Amino acid sequence: MTPLRPPRRRPPAPASRRLRVALLVAALCAALGLSATPPAAARSAAISTAGSAATSAASAAPQAAASPAATAGRSAGDAYIYAPHSRTLAPVAVHGTSGSVSAPGNVLSGASTRISGTNSFLVLDFGKEVGGLVTLKFAGASGAGQRVGLAFSESSLYVGPVSDLSSGTVYSGSGTDGALTATVNGAGSYTMPADKLRGGFRYLTVFMASSGWVDLNGVSLAFTGAAGMSDPAAYSNYFYSSDDLLNKIWYAGAYTVQMDTIAPDTGRAYPPPASGWENNAVIGSGAGILTDGAKRDRAVWPGDLGVSLPTEYVSTHDLASTKNALNSLYQHQNSSTGELEYGGPAVNFYGSDTYHTWTLIGTAAYYTYSADKTWLDSVWSRYRLGMSFITAKIDGNGLLNVTGTNDWARGGQGGENIEANALLYAALTGGATLADAEGDTADASTWRQRAATLKSAANQRLWNSAVGLYRDNPTSTLYPQDGNSLAVWYGLTDSAAKNTAVARGLSARWNDHGAASPEKDGGAIGTFPGSMEVQAHFVAGDDVDALALIRREWGWMLNSPTGTGSTFWEGFRSDGSFDYGGTYMSLAHGWGTGPTSALTFYLLGLAPTGTASYDFVPHPGDIAHTEGTITLPQGTVTGSWDQDTAAGTLHETLSAPAGTTGRIGIPVADAPSSSAVTITVNGATVWSGGTFHPGAGITGGSTDGSYVRLTGVPAGSYTVTATGLGAAVPFATSVNGTALPAGYTLCATEGGTCTPSGSQVMAYGAGGYVYRAVSGATACDAASFGGADPAYGVLKSCYLAPSGGPAGYTSCAAEHGTCAVSGTREVAYGANGAYRFQVVTGSVDCTNAAFGADPLYNTAKSCWAAPNGPPAGNWALCAAEKSVCQGAGDRPVAYGAAGAFWPGRANGATTCGNDTMGVDPVYGVGKSCYGYAGAPAGFPATCSAENGTCAFTGRRTVAYGANGDYRYATFTGGAPCTNDAFGGDPLPGVAKSCYLTS
């Protein structure tokens, strides 16, 4: 639904950017043969447990105008690699001890550490997620037959003589991993059995299981991650930006997928043993195979491939492991029905329409990345059979009707589901491209037609225009994160306005740890659908929020004191604690690595569009510099860019190999107009005055208002400079995208002039509004808002935001202070109508970093805490949570508490609760429903009751309606207050009135 919290606006006025530019790189012990990567032991000393402390955004000073920065080069990115060069590793620190342990640090340098007495133990820290076979060396023992145990855990929460859970199933409560036991008779060594390989852990606990003592003088690990790579740290591609945290996140995502790339004969045995673990199942062929998790489940799950496959492509380019994973799925396809497995060997699960479809999507992605026509030929008959299986479930409405309801850990799957239909749309469009490659014109045509029909049906049956999101199915009140994100990411939406609405609705559900997944139980934060949401924000042009979400959610995982400091998780709860049973949860899970591909494909802007074509279309957001590479079948494409927002310039460099064709994009959405932008390529002007001019070998150029796109770019090297650009100012207002925020005051009618006090947000519209921050006298017209017309065909007005915080909010801290709240509250950070919002429990730093961006450049900001009770404005209590909200007509209601509200609809007697409103806007807090009464925002003066006449002189816009639903029309010399005059009834069965701006 469209949030009562802010739309994320991108005003057109240029402004200086505040940026954090820092590089905090250190090296692990060279003796261990590790790459120069920030050591987890050093990082842990600076960890903050505040959810917002993981973020990294703009600095306190604006970026100065400067010449383009020199490219830092591959070595700058390689400094962040977590993967080791050597496959022989050693622990880097002692995490702790219990009982009698003398000289615990000695073992790190090859000297003796004595562990004495039953249950005494030493916890060793490898500094990051690792996996493989451990060898212990002993200098001596108190006597023959001493027993030493080994236990493993990914998190510091579970260190001790019992391993975290990898083998049994947390959902049934069966199974325990326990520990391994070695017999020590004196000096010698012990190596774990191959079948007891431990796929993912950071902490190793060595404990006494007998009453004597042992002298431990060596611990080493045969590292088994990144199977198939002779040098795990030899990445084919790199990424580097001026934001240190984003760099760490990119490489942590890459390393997560490396940890999930295993030898095909080391899968998790299934069914699991009653105790202990077995990682000796054969799950495929080849040197390496891409699975879902390092610790568990160590099997190919096609849904996970939807995220991990692009991660692997943009980083290590280990396409062989991708192919091996897809082969394993096709080799177990049901030959009679065409159904593909939900989970590959050794689990061999069937019964998921979504995961079946993910395999088809993965097939198209692999072919795009590899151009492996021989392989495509070999699986084509199976692919067609798989497509026939899923398209046979398309119903008379043109939508997939899901009957195989297994899915990732979401609820509510089945029927005409938006997630499943967005996936099928992607499979059909990708399948048509594959059919073209195969010369299969019949299937190509059929699949394109089915895709078009499905897209139309989904937008007719599943889109809720009043809410601004897709329903989970046509009768559902759930508006899921996965389906809405996929609809934008995969192009199921049919307008840019829907992309914007979805991005706005999704961001309204963030808390201080990340983005909520309402389709997941208990207000959880799913890193799988969260990975989808990151992509959706970029596709929607909501670049600043995409980066803010990455910093918030993935920064939390990377910097959490209970994490691995190097890999991303299966999921977590709304308070930042572990989901999936805690000890059973995987802390190196490929489906949670979406930011890695998003940062390459969108922030950097390099993305393959075919087997020999690519885009270089940056989404700069609030970043000053980004560079990196992708690998096409023809070779490496290298790109870099620098933006100077004070000067309004963007400088790009590009190099592409022979046999490729590219498209270069220059973001112009925030420029005063496309005619103000001038673009040169290799010194030749190719764009000026809103017109393309051929030059530098480039054959075409056009603009859609968001980008100028230069097409037909042949192989070679290019330097692109754009001037006359604007700056994306990432502020939010305090209500939804259609209603004017409470407290705004009329300053001019269209054609007039508004004069703010300092920097202040100005709104322009009538019923629908656009916003920008202004300083000095500003014309109230579309030109001042980049040509935007938020209320077509009616005379509009301009309004200025109140000074200070949002209406009804209370100041809780000045900028750089700490805002403490009682319980859970929504907190606004900013000033004069421009804010960033966050649901906070306890306290939050009042800084740009904590809120993801600077909402109002060069202006002192504060934090403001929301009040209890209704939203600001003309809202009144309708019902407490789980009670019935009574009222006539289908009318808007606000559902929530503590400043966090979600707009819904009520018709007659409607139960006020998460199930009917479709979301929990503030988890763990008692909520209420509020109905709107009185005049519409911005139109406070009642001029007539229904069927009367609204009298005035001159030309005026009139609002007509009641209880939050209004129509707007412009009249001269008065207006009939009737349905006919306004072209319809905004709220049937309810008495209405007409209203003027003053």
Side-chain angles (χ1 to χ4, degrees):
M1 302 182 178
T2 305
L4 281 175
R5 316 206 309 227
R8 270 59 179 176
R9 297 290 179 180
R10 295 168 55 102
S16 354
R17 191 84 71 200
R18 301 182 178 202
L19 294 167
R20 179 182 182 185
V21 183
L23 182 60
L24 304 173
V25 181
L28 285 171
C29 178
L32 296 178
L34 302 183
S35 63
T37 179
R43 286 194 300 271
S44 65
I47 285 172
S48 167
T49 57
S52 59
T55 62
S56 167
S59 70
Q63 177 190 357
S67 59
T71 299
R74 180 179 293 271
S75 61
D78 286 352
Y80 290 87
I81 293 175
Y82 293 86
H85 285 291
S86 171
R87 288 196 174 270
T88 300
L89 307 182
V92 297
V94 172
H95 178 74
T97 64
S98 178
S100 179
V101 181
S102 63
N106 278 5
V107 68
L108 300 178
S109 59
S112 290
T113 293
R114 179 165 291 183
I115 310 174
S116 305
T118 305
N119 295 327
S120 292
F121 63 76
L122 168 71
V123 181
L124 297 170
D125 181 2
F126 281 80
K128 61 185 177 183
E129 180 90 351
V130 294
L133 298 170
V134 168
T135 295
L136 303 181
K137 290 177 61 180
F138 300 97
S142 59
Q146 296 303 310
R147 290 167 46 238
V148 175
L150 296 83
F152 304 84
S153 69
E154 292 184 296
S155 171
S156 59
L157 291 176
Y158 308 120
V159 298
V162 177
S163 300
D164 58 13
L165 187 60
S166 75
S167 181
T169 167
V170 69
Y171 303 110
S172 67
S174 64
T176 177
D177 280 29
L180 299 179
T181 303
T183 299
V184 181
N185 296 315
S189 65
Y190 163 83
T191 299
M192 297 165 55
D195 63 315
K196 299 302 182 184
L197 177 149
R198 194 72 184 184
F201 67 96
R202 174 174 170 174
Y203 301 97
L204 167 65
T205 299
V206 182
F207 65 94
M208 288 300 298
S210 59
S211 59
W213 56 262
V214 297
D215 284 341
L216 181 68
N217 69 341
V219 178
S220 64
L221 173 74
F223 179 75
T224 56
M229 294 182 68
S230 58
D231 179 355
Y235 283 22
S236 295
N237 297 307
Y238 84 101
F239 171 89
Y240 177 78
S241 78
S242 54
D243 188 307
D244 181 59
L245 180 61
L246 295 181
N247 298 339
K248 292 176 181 177
I249 288 170
W250 191 94
Y251 283 93
Y255 185 58
T256 300
V257 170
Q258 286 186 285
M259 290 303 304
D260 298 342
T261 304
I262 69 175
D265 59 354
T266 63
R268 184 179 75 152
Y270 195 88
S275 62
W277 66 92
E278 293 285 346
N279 284 327
N280 59 359
V282 176
I283 62 172
S285 60
I289 188 167
L290 180 55
T291 66
D292 67 328
K295 180 182 77 168
R296 52 142 285 270
D297 293 319
R298 299 179 67 82
V300 180
W301 295 79
D304 302 57
L305 293 178
V307 174
S308 61
L309 194 163
T311 298
E312 191 169 60
Y313 166 72
V314 302
S315 56
T316 64
H317 197 248
D318 180 15
L319 297 183
S321 295
T322 292
K323 180 168 68 172
N324 292 338
L326 292 169
N327 279 338
S328 179
L329 296 169
Y330 278 116
Q331 286 163 5
H332 291 83
Q333 183 179 31
N334 185 313
S335 59
S336 59
T337 67
E339 183 177 7
L340 291 156
E341 288 186 321
Y342 165 39
V347 294
N348 296 115
F349 293 157
Y350 294 86
S352 172
D353 289 346
T354 54
Y355 272 46
H356 173 100
T357 308
W358 277 117
T359 298
L360 304 178
I361 292 171
T363 303
Y366 171 75
Y367 179 71
T368 297
Y369 299 159
S370 68
D372 189 347
K373 181 65 162 48
T374 300
W375 178 81
L376 182 62
D377 292 345
S378 72
V379 301
W380 185 241
S381 62
R382 295 181 180 185
Y383 180 93
R384 293 182 69 246
L385 189 61
M387 188 68 85
S388 295
F389 170 83
I390 198 67
T391 56
K393 297 189 179 188
I394 296 176
D395 62 19
N397 293 317
L399 292 174
L400 171 63
N401 182 27
V402 174
T403 57
T405 57
N406 288 310
D407 204 345
W408 74 277
R410 73 164 355 251
Q413 186 54 266
E416 294 177 337
N417 176 265
I418 181 60
E419 178 210 7
N421 277 280
L423 291 173
L424 182 54
Y425 179 76
L428 288 166
T429 55
T433 300
L434 295 182
D436 289 339
E438 286 290 311
D440 187 344
T441 57
D443 277 338
S445 175
T446 297
W447 293 343
R448 286 191 174 98
Q449 181 57 53
R450 284 176 171 168
T453 300
L454 185 152
K455 182 172 185 172
S456 176
N459 281 282
Q460 290 176 11
R461 290 181 58 77
L462 297 174
W463 178 254
N464 186 336
S465 58
V467 171
L469 288 172
Y470 291 93
R471 302 176 179 89
D472 205 38
N473 59 62
T475 60
S476 178
T477 57
L478 173 68
Y479 298 87
Q481 181 188 26
D482 58 6
N484 278 280
S485 299
L486 288 168
V488 176
W489 184 13
Y490 286 150
L492 184 68
T493 55
D494 56 7
S495 71
K498 284 184 180 177
N499 289 345
T500 299
V502 170
R504 182 185 302 139
L506 292 172
S507 61
R509 301 195 291 214
W510 298 357
N511 72 4
D512 52 344
H513 292 103
S517 308
E519 64 272 33
K520 179 76 168 67
D521 62 286
I525 294 173
T527 59
F528 184 34
S531 291
M532 304 171 196
E533 181 175 336
V534 167
Q535 315 281 342
H537 284 291
F538 276 123
V539 171
D542 189 18
D543 305 336
V544 170
D545 278 338
L547 296 171
L549 178 57
I550 291 170
R551 294 176 181 123
R552 184 176 300 187
E553 187 166 325
W554 281 263
W556 166 251
M557 288 185 278
L558 189 59
N559 288 321
S560 168
T562 60
T564 69
S566 57
T567 53
F568 294 127
W569 310 348
E570 192 172 8
F572 54 102
R573 311 300 291 172
S574 65
D575 61 1
S577 62
F578 294 159
D579 198 1
Y580 297 90
T583 181
Y584 186 67
M585 193 179 83
S586 168
L587 296 192
H589 219 72
W591 77 9
T593 64
T596 299
S597 62
L599 289 171
T600 292
F601 290 159
Y602 299 109
L603 177 63
L604 173 59
L606 282 178
T609 55
T611 56
S613 60
Y614 65 92
D615 273 355
F616 182 37
V617 183
H619 288 244
D622 58 2
I623 302 298
H625 171 79
T626 303
E627 62 185 81
T629 61
I630 59 171
T631 303
L632 298 182
Q634 296 77 16
T636 299
V637 182
T638 302
S640 73
W641 55 257
D642 296 87
Q643 72 165 338
D644 185 332
T645 56
T649 63
L650 182 71
H651 181 83
E652 302 177 357
T653 64
L654 172 68
S655 178
T660 62
T661 303
R663 182 174 67 163
I664 298 173
I666 297 90
V668 297
D670 300 300
S673 69
S674 63
S675 62
V677 176
T678 298
I679 302 170
T680 65
V681 178
N682 292 348
T685 299
V686 299
W687 185 274
S688 63
T691 304
F692 171 69
H693 312 284
I698 295 173
T699 59
S702 62
T703 183
D704 59 4
S706 296
Y707 281 84
V708 170
R709 289 182 168 86
L710 307 177
T711 56
V713 180
S717 297
Y718 300 90
T719 297
V720 182
T721 299
T723 61
L725 303 177
V729 183
F731 75 80
T733 65
S734 55
V735 297
N736 64 21
T738 56
L740 190 70
Y744 275 54
T745 56
L746 181 72
C747 62
T749 302
E750 188 170 8
T753 300
C754 286
T755 303
S757 176
S759 289
Q760 202 168 2
V761 172
M762 186 168 87
Y764 168 67
Y769 299 89
V770 290
Y771 303 81
R772 61 166 287 192
V774 298
S775 299
T778 304
C780 180
D781 58 24
S784 294
F785 291 84
D789 188 343
Y792 182 75
V794 300
L795 183 71
K796 288 162 278 290
S797 298
C798 286
Y799 304 80
L800 288 172
S803 298
Y809 282 51
T810 302
S811 177
C812 60
E815 188 173 6
H816 305 303
T818 299
C819 173
V821 298
S822 175
T824 298
R825 283 278 181 279
E826 182 170 77
V827 173
Y829 168 68
N832 307 337
Y835 312 103
R836 302 284 295 181
F837 289 83
Q838 190 172 147
V839 176
V840 171
T841 300
S843 65
V844 65
D845 292 339
C846 192
T847 62
N848 295 337
F851 284 83
D854 185 341
L856 193 62
Y857 303 131
N858 303 318
T859 300
K861 290 162 280 290
S862 297
C863 282
W864 312 80
N868 285 316
N874 298 326
W875 295 90
L877 180 67
C878 180
E881 187 175 4
K882 299 182 180 178
S883 296
V884 175
C885 182
Q886 301 280 357
D890 183 7
R891 65 205 185 283
V893 296
Y895 173 61
F901 294 97
W902 191 254
R905 307 287 301 185
N907 193 349
T910 302
T911 300
C912 178
N914 297 341
D915 290 342
T916 52
M917 296 301 160
V919 71
D920 187 340
V922 53
Y923 183 65
V925 176
K927 291 161 281 289
S928 297
C929 286
Y930 299 90
Y932 194 90
F939 288 74
T942 304
C943 62
S944 174
E946 187 176 3
N947 297 320
T949 298
C950 178
F952 52 84
T953 59
R955 186 166 178 257
R956 303 285 297 274
T957 293
V958 182
Y960 170 66
N963 299 346
D965 276 342
Y966 306 95
R967 288 175 176 259
Y968 297 81
T970 300
F971 302 89
T972 300
C977 193
T978 63
N979 293 335
D980 288 344
F982 286 84
D985 189 338
L987 195 59
V990 176
K992 290 161 282 288
S993 296
C994 284
Y995 305 87
L996 295 171
T997 55
S998 61

